[in-house]
Amino acid sequence: QLQLVESGGGLVQPGGSLRLSCAASGFTLDYYAIGWFRQAPGKEREGVSCISRRGNNTKYADSVKGRFTISRDHAKNTVYLQMNSLKPEDTAVYYCAAESVVQTMCVMTRIWYDYWGQGTQVTVSS
């Protein structure tokens, strides 16, 4: 009933761009901060970016600063992750997640998030 669905993943060459989408099913995203996480084979799931409820506060992992941009469209009940200048090390399964506790900020800590999508594969070929 409360689900998040990621889309937009795929195969892209180094230096290319990709836009991921996170759409809600069964609830509105207006009351949730949204985080993007990724997990590469053999590695822990790590925070990539997050956006607050209103969209006025965002955070990025150091590894993606200047390359990735998170945004949200309340009318479409969707959150986006624009990924530019992609590198092979960006290859991972990307997950979006929703968090309802923090009011005005966002965090990139897994335990704070209540709902998770199934993930979408991003592969940056060398």
Side-chain angles (χ1 to χ4, degrees), residues 32-97:
Y32 296 85
I34 303 297
W36 283 98
F37 298 80
R38 68 185 182 186
Q39 187 167 21
K43 295 186 177 181
E44 295 290 316
R45 189 173 300 185
E46 63 177 351
V48 176
S49 182
C50 66
I51 187 167
S52 64
R53 295 183 183 187
R54 291 181 179 270
N56 56 316
N57 292 110
T58 59
K59 293 181 180 177
Y60 299 91
D62 289 340
S63 60
V64 306
K65 286 181 179 178
R67 299 188 298 120
F68 291 10
T69 303
I70 190 170
S71 63
R72 65 191 307 164
D73 187 334
H74 290 95
K76 296 182 178 180
N77 205 28
T78 301
V79 174
Y80 304 97
L81 183 67
Q82 178 67 46
M83 305 185 294
N84 298 325
S85 302
L86 284 163
K87 305 174 181 179
E89 49 263 45
D90 293 318
T91 296
V93 176
Y94 284 70
Y95 302 87
C96 68

